[in-house]
Amino acid sequence: MKTRTSFIHTAVLRTAGAVFFLLIAFSCCAAVRVHAGTPELPVINITSDTSYNDIYNEYVPADMELTSPDHAPSELYSGTAYLHLRGNSTAGLLKKPFKLKLENKADLLGMGRSRHWVLLANAIDLTNIRNLMMQRFATSLGLTSMSSRLVELYYNGTYKGVYELCEQVRIGKTRVDIYDWEDLAEDVADAVTDGLISKGLIPKDREDEARAGIRSDLKKDYAWATDSDHTFYLTTVRNIAGRDYWKVDLAEYHDFSDVPDATGGALIEMDFYHNGSADLKTAYRLPLYLTAPDYTGSNFDALEDYMRDYIQAAEYAMHSTDFVYRASDTHYRTTDEGRYSRSQGRRLSTAYGESDFYAPVYDGMHYSDLVDIDSVINNMLVCELSDNWDCMKNSFFMYKDIDSKLVFGPAWDFDWAWGNSMYGIDTAGMWNGTYTYARKWQTTNDYFANEQYYQTQQFNRLLVKDPYFVVKLYERYREVRESLILPFADEYESMCESLKVANGKNYTLWRRTDSSGGGAGRTYNEQLTHTLDFIRQRISWLDEQFADPQTLIDSFGYYKASDSLTVREPDTVSSPGNVLISVDVTGSIAAETAAVSFQINGRTFITATVADRCATASVPVSVLTDEPGIYSTVVCRAVDAAGSYIKNSRGTEPGVYTNAHSGYIVIDETKIGAAAGESGEGRNDADGSGDAGSNPGGTGNGSADTDNGRHTDTSASAGGSDDGTSADGSFRPFIIAAIAAAFLAVIALTALIIAKKHSKRS
């Protein structure tokens, strides 16, 4: 009996010990997964006849194997791949960045099936996570972003350091999910190929040649997609079947009834490296170009023409006094970019001339009718948190789907963030050991804009002149402050700690091979200290600027109010269901001011006549909002007897922006709720889409459908971050595993106690 009891006792002990050990191991694995799988990062082995340093702009073939103990076989890869050098400034560094094209689509590390990927070297970022962290931040805000994972690269058996395997920015179901004209071209080509084979015009043994050739023919010129008869001359068909058959009626083989007009399906990039091919360059010389459908070696005149006018109307709306495009206005274009004066810290001698742009189809549209304001605001938060030298200059993307607004994103390219740089450029503003640029706006920093003229006219700079936009920016910041912004520095430090081994190996190999500026640090520890200090100072300063809407507007300093207009506190009592807003007109403009235009939440305009130097507008609560944390912004502008805004020389820059004598008021939801009273008046969501009077010089009926700056924190629904954390940075897998381990350990301990009691009885 004693032997049997001893056996039971030993078995229970071993079982409990094994369970406890396995669960602790599981907990540790969960904790490791929080930090992107470190210390065992996924590994990419590339074998090629071309050496690492001999890869340039043309694809070279290679064998590639992606391995990882933490991913299913379906998320790995073993097969042929093609590489070429990518990047602009970083392409010349010793640690090379690559474009990667797989022979077959693959769901690499669970990021979605595609053939097209990039290997970012992060050569100037010794922490290796500037891009990774900012892309995840952008995703948590709700911006379209590319997923990425850190990996270790071996090339021809030699360790090449930590790389970032990332989705390439392109149109696709798992990338920028909008209408794909290239997919249409391939579908049509396949249908034509199959049809011509069935007719005997293309031999079966030349099917692959024909299919690839017809796809190429259709992607060179998309005129067939928008022409009414859908006929097209196919060079491949001529070469195979003869000249008698090369004019093909594509509609005979493919149903075009569901093919949309060319009003979207466009991915657009802004980058000064493409100045020569920037086919969508704006009047103020923003070097925008169509990156998808692929602009290299192809034409899509209908889509280019549409997007050029659409973007130009949006730009002119942002340059307009009240941020509304009017076809009848005089519009301007840059004729001389001038030069940046380092001694004065600004650009001098710029010149502008009149433009002949005319697009009546967009007449009366506010910029928020043309551009998705949520994405603009989220993108600006990305720019300001990162304080990135390249933001709104290079690698800035926008996209537009069929009949949608223009959307900012995906977020991309942050290796110059937080004072990091190349070429000795001081992007930190080092002065007496402090980072002065950590306490300046990225948007309005003239030193950041010295490299390219168009940075002085980039969209964010234009929009901070609009109190309505700045208030919406304030709302969004306060909404995500606790969950995304305040924890950011600690999350950055935590991820760097988890990558200490991998980053140490990477630093030992590469050290600092570029020319650093701004004191960002030439060793790993120096740069980590610099980065964390910069981020913490940055967040502290941002929090001060976002104290309240007026503090934020004053901090940017781009909105210039008039001393001649005084906006009174709103009257929420006298007229149930309405808010009465009165403006006193004084000073030099009192005699010429016939009326005041009240612009409510961007799109609604009400004009009130001046009597006894005062104008009062009765604003229905239906065009305001009473949601907590959401404000209503009313901008009031002086209007003369001819119905034109009265120009304020303060804040006016000829050829760029004409400021009006104006004032503004921001109304919180408590006052609006009081005005609603017992009237039961319906209210909308601060989109200005209620009834509107006339606005000077335009329709301004404010009746267009809008989402208009309503922001919803998407961090909870965006899914966990790629390193295993939840979207708010919490370590949920570790907590769950730890609880499970403790629970099962208790069970095992209970079994042990029972066994001991049983032993004593025996």
Side-chain angles (χ1 to χ4, degrees):
M1 190 69 176
K2 184 175 182 180
T3 302
R4 183 168 176 266
T5 302
S6 177
F7 173 77
I8 294 172
H9 182 258
T10 301
V12 170
L13 276 174
R14 288 177 176 174
T15 302
V19 169
F20 188 78
F21 175 79
L22 289 172
L23 290 170
I24 291 298
F26 174 75
S27 301
C28 292
C29 288
V32 166
R33 285 184 63 84
V34 165
H35 301 297
T38 304
E40 293 186 19
L41 291 176
V43 173
I44 291 179
N45 280 285
I46 292 176
T47 305
S48 175
D49 291 336
T50 305
S51 70
Y52 179 88
N53 289 320
D54 289 332
I55 299 176
Y56 298 106
N57 295 328
E58 300 296 326
Y59 277 114
V60 300
D63 292 324
M64 176 181 135
E65 184 177 23
L66 169 62
T67 60
S68 171
D70 297 326
H71 291 83
S74 61
E75 297 177 346
L76 306 177
Y77 186 80
S78 180
T80 302
Y82 304 88
L83 295 91
H84 72 68
L85 193 66
R86 69 169 306 278
N88 293 321
S89 56
T90 56
L93 301 180
L94 295 180
K95 189 182 181 187
K96 306 294 185 184
F98 300 113
K99 164 67 170 65
L100 183 67
K101 183 168 72 172
L102 308 182
E103 187 171 46
N104 300 300
K105 289 184 178 181
D107 179 19
L108 301 188
L109 304 180
M111 291 186 281
R113 287 176 56 79
S114 180
R115 294 180 64 203
H116 300 278
W117 304 84
V118 294
L119 281 169
L120 301 178
N122 293 320
I124 69 169
D125 176 15
L126 298 182
T127 71
N128 282 304
I129 62 170
R130 276 174 164 80
N131 281 306
L132 187 72
M133 290 294 289
M134 284 311 304
Q135 285 164 0
R136 292 178 181 177
F137 176 74
T139 300
S140 296
L141 286 174
L143 283 172
T144 297
S145 297
M146 299 297 100
S147 297
S148 65
R149 306 285 192 277
L150 295 184
V151 300
E152 290 185 313
L153 177 65
Y154 288 80
Y155 195 94
N156 285 341
T158 302
Y159 173 72
K160 290 299 181 182
V162 175
Y163 272 72
E164 186 176 352
L165 176 64
C166 187
E167 297 180 294
Q168 185 191 23
V169 179
R170 62 188 296 113
I171 296 174
K173 293 297 182 184
T174 61
R175 306 290 172 86
V176 180
D177 190 9
I178 59 176
Y179 191 84
D180 193 336
W181 293 100
E182 293 181 33
D183 270 2
L184 174 65
E186 293 182 5
D187 290 345
V188 173
D190 291 347
V192 170
T193 303
D194 293 341
L196 294 179
I197 289 174
S198 68
K199 290 182 176 181
L201 296 175
I202 292 179
K204 185 66 176 175
D205 62 359
R206 301 186 70 178
E207 177 181 353
D208 291 345
E209 175 192 352
R211 196 176 301 277
I214 295 173
R215 284 184 174 191
S216 178
D217 291 343
L218 292 178
K219 290 179 181 179
K220 287 178 181 176
D221 189 342
Y222 285 85
W224 54 268
T226 54
D227 287 350
S228 58
D229 62 358
H230 303 295
T231 59
F232 197 69
Y233 289 92
L234 295 172
T235 302
T236 300
V237 176
R238 180 193 65 189
N239 294 340
I240 295 175
R243 181 174 291 274
D244 291 342
Y245 303 101
W246 76 313
K247 183 179 181 181
V248 179
D249 180 4
L250 304 179
E252 179 182 345
Y253 305 97
H254 184 88
D255 182 5
F256 281 83
S257 61
D258 292 332
V259 175
D261 293 334
T263 61
L267 178 62
I268 298 154
E269 184 175 4
M270 181 164 71
D271 197 316
F272 69 75
Y273 286 98
H274 292 276
N275 258 326
S277 59
D279 44 18
L280 304 180
K281 185 181 287 188
T282 70
Y284 291 92
R285 300 195 179 180
L286 273 61
L288 299 168
Y289 68 98
L290 202 64
T291 185
D294 186 4
Y295 76 99
T296 57
S298 68
N299 294 307
F300 198 163
D301 292 343
L303 183 60
E304 287 182 14
D305 291 346
Y306 176 87
M307 291 308 307
R308 188 179 295 108
D309 283 357
Y310 190 99
I311 293 170
Q312 191 55 69
E315 181 182 57
Y316 278 140
M318 295 180 196
H319 280 270
S320 172
T321 299
D322 58 8
F323 307 99
V324 173
Y325 171 75
R326 297 186 187 83
S328 60
D329 282 353
T330 300
H331 301 110
Y332 294 89
R333 59 183 178 83
T334 305
T335 57
D336 191 331
E337 297 182 0
R339 61 179 181 83
Y340 178 78
S341 168
R342 292 189 179 276
S343 61
Q344 297 190 39
R346 62 190 180 93
R347 188 166 288 272
L348 306 175
S349 303
T350 52
Y352 304 91
E354 291 189 12
S355 166
D356 59 2
F357 179 79
Y358 181 71
V361 67
Y362 303 113
D363 189 51
M365 287 192 176
H366 187 260
Y367 63 77
S368 61
D369 293 316
L370 298 165
V371 180
D372 177 75
I373 195 172
D374 285 352
S375 69
V376 178
I377 287 170
N378 287 332
N379 177 75
M380 187 164 176
L381 287 179
V382 166
C383 293
E384 290 303 339
L385 177 63
S386 66
D387 200 33
N388 184 22
W389 172 267
D390 278 343
C391 269
M392 303 306 291
K393 178 181 68 176
N394 288 344
S395 302
F396 166 66
F397 289 92
M398 303 183 291
Y399 61 90
K400 186 182 183 302
D401 207 351
I402 304 297
D403 296 330
S404 79
K405 297 179 183 180
L406 194 64
V407 181
F408 283 19
W412 189 256
D413 194 5
F414 296 96
D415 54 354
W416 284 56
W418 303 306
N420 205 26
S421 69
M422 295 170 61
Y423 313 127
I425 298 173
D426 183 4
T427 62
M430 293 298 294
W431 182 259
N432 290 335
T434 62
Y435 312 121
T436 60
Y437 293 160
R439 304 183 66 80
K440 284 181 176 287
W441 292 110
Q442 190 276 346
T443 296
T444 59
N445 188 335
D446 279 329
Y447 177 67
F448 276 34
N450 82 80
E451 188 175 14
Q452 297 290 326
Y453 154 79
Y454 68 85
Q455 290 176 268
T456 66
Q457 306 301 325
Q458 53 105 334
F459 299 132
N460 289 351
R461 275 205 176 199
L462 304 177
L463 291 174
V464 294
K465 297 176 182 179
D466 179 14
Y468 166 69
F469 176 83
V470 178
V471 171
K472 304 311 289 181
L473 181 69
Y474 168 82
E475 292 170 358
R476 183 57 170 154
Y477 179 91
R478 303 306 297 185
E479 186 179 16
V480 301
R481 174 180 179 269
E482 296 287 341
S483 61
L484 298 180
I485 294 174
L486 296 186
F488 188 87
D490 289 342
E491 291 172 1
Y492 198 103
E493 183 175 24
S494 179
M495 180 167 283
C496 284
E497 178 65 24
S498 73
L499 292 168
K500 184 183 294 184
V501 174
N503 277 339
K505 288 170 59 182
N506 180 81
Y507 175 68
T508 299
L509 175 65
W510 293 111
R511 298 196 177 270
R512 193 63 189 264
T513 57
D514 63 281
S515 55
S516 171
R522 296 184 65 86
T523 71
Y524 175 75
N525 288 333
E526 286 177 359
Q527 192 174 114
L528 178 58
T529 299
H530 158 94
T531 303
L532 292 174
D533 286 350
F534 196 107
I535 292 173
R536 290 192 168 102
Q537 289 185 38
R538 184 75 181 157
I539 291 174
S540 174
W541 182 80
L542 286 173
D543 224 37
E544 294 170 5
Q545 310 319 301
F546 280 92
D548 56 68
Q550 183 170 337
T551 297
L552 186 60
I553 292 170
D554 293 345
S555 179
F556 281 118
Y558 269 45
Y559 169 74
K560 305 297 183 183
S562 172
D563 295 332
S564 299
L565 294 184
T566 303
V567 185
R568 300 180 189 175
E569 280 296 304
D571 178 354
T572 61
V573 177
S574 301
S575 179
N578 298 283
V579 174
L580 302 182
I581 302 175
S582 297
V583 176
D584 295 315
V585 185
T586 59
S588 60
I589 67 167
E592 64 177 316
T593 303
V596 172
S597 171
F598 296 77
Q599 185 177 14
I600 304 105
N601 292 328
R603 295 207 199 109
T604 298
F605 289 82
I606 297 174
T607 301
T609 303
V610 172
D612 296 327
R613 296 193 172 189
C614 180
T616 300
S618 179
V619 181
V621 294
S622 60
V623 300
L624 304 171
T625 180
D626 63 354
E627 282 196 37
I630 307 296
Y631 296 82
S632 292
T633 306
V634 182
V635 181
C636 313
R637 297 181 180 87
V639 179
D640 64 20
S644 300
Y645 292 131
I646 298 176
K647 175 182 172 181
N648 185 354
S649 58
R650 184 169 174 262
T652 292
E653 183 181 355
V656 175
Y657 182 74
T658 301
N659 193 28
H661 281 275
S662 68
Y664 73 93
I665 188 169
V666 179
I667 309 172
D668 67 31
E669 76 279 357
T670 58
K671 295 177 181 178
I672 296 166
E678 300 297 324
S679 68
E681 290 282 343
R683 290 173 294 278
N684 64 27
D685 298 329
D687 63 1
S689 59
D691 296 334
S694 62
N695 62 305
T699 57
N701 59 21
S703 60
D705 182 44
T706 172
D707 49 17
N708 194 57
R710 285 297 312 285
H711 304 295
T712 303
D713 184 3
T714 60
S715 60
S717 61
S721 65
D722 296 334
D723 58 5
T725 65
S726 63
D728 62 1
S730 62
F731 297 156
R732 292 176 185 167
F734 175 78
I735 294 170
I736 293 169
I739 292 172
F743 177 72
L744 292 176
V746 169
I747 293 175
L749 184 60
T750 302
L752 177 61
I753 292 170
I754 293 171
K756 284 185 176 180
K757 288 182 178 180
H758 181 77
S759 175
K760 287 179 180 179
R761 287 199 301 269
S762 302

